[in-house]
Structures are given as structure tokens and as C-alpha cells.
Amino acid sequence: QVQVVESGGGLVQAGGSLRLSCAASGRSFSPYDMGWYRQSPGKEREFVASINWATGGTLYADSVKGRFTTSRKELKNTVYLHMNSLKPEDTDIYYCNTFGRAPITAKTYWGQGTQVTVSS
């Protein structure tokens, strides 16, 4: 059983910063990548950022490039989302996502989400 747990959401003023954390745990779990999505009520979940576990290569949505950075702590299967210059339109529930094997079959796992609210 793989568990994915996010933390670090909250309320921040526009222009401020937040750091989200996500840890994936489970017997023999080995991620291929970990990343972040966000979703507002009534809207589809959208991609934010991801990091390749083997190479450290990162991808970002155009809407967050230059403001958000994702990083990892490999041995702890933990990924971070550093969010700077936050805007009210960044208000969403942020979900951690990972694709990995535990120990043989690969599948996608999601966290429960953490609320980020940016006030104007």
C-alpha cells in the first residue's frame, strides 16, 4: 500500500510565498516521477509541475514558470513545491501525484490535497 501525503498549504497574501511538501511511502515503493496538480471546484485538475526521479529533470506549466520550483529529497521519496510571487489565481487545492512501482507493478498514486489560498 502506497500513501501520498501533502502538507504546507495555507493562506498567504498576493506576492507571498509558500512551500508544499509531499511524501510517498510504502513497502518497496520506487517512484519514476513525482509532481503537482491543482484543481478548483467545477474545473478540471491541471498540471503544475513534475520532477523525474532518475534525472532530476523538471517540467512546469506555463502559468507558473519563473515563479514555482519543484525539488526532491530522493532517499525520503519527498517532493517540494516552492511557490513564489503568488497570485490570487493560484488559489486552488494542490494535489501531489506520483507514478512508480511497489515493487513491480507501476501505477499512479494521488494525495488527498492541500488548500492554497492567495488573498489580494
Side-chain angles (χ1 to χ4, degrees):
Q1 184 77 9
V2 176
Q3 287 190 315
V4 180
V5 180
E6 305 103 332
S7 61
L11 173 65
V12 65
Q13 287 191 328
S17 300
L18 276 177
R19 187 185 80 161
L20 305 183
S21 302
C22 170
S25 60
R27 189 175 176 184
S28 301
F29 179 67
S30 179
Y32 292 118
D33 61 54
M34 293 186 74
W36 298 90
Y37 286 70
R38 63 186 183 185
Q39 186 173 26
S40 294
K43 292 188 177 181
E44 289 197 3
R45 195 169 292 188
E46 65 173 9
F47 170 78
V48 176
S50 69
I51 186 164
N52 181 287
W53 221 246
T55 66
T58 55
L59 291 173
Y60 296 95
D62 287 343
S63 58
V64 305
K65 274 181 186 173
R67 299 188 299 122
F68 292 10
T69 303
T70 189
S71 62
R72 66 180 186 202
K73 201 169 267 188
E74 294 161 77
L75 294 181
K76 294 194 173 185
N77 285 349
T78 298
V79 66
Y80 303 97
L81 186 66
H82 310 268
M83 304 184 292
N84 299 313
S85 302
L86 282 160
K87 305 174 181 179
E89 50 264 43
D90 294 317
T91 296
D92 264 325
I93 298 175
Y94 283 71
Y95 296 90
C96 181
N97 161 283
T98 181
F99 178 70
R101 54 185 175 86
I104 298 174
T105 302
K107 59 184 289 189
T108 297
Y109 301 89
W110 291 92
Q112 79 288 350
T114 184
Q115 177 72 48
V116 171
T117 303
V118 184
S119 63
S120 56

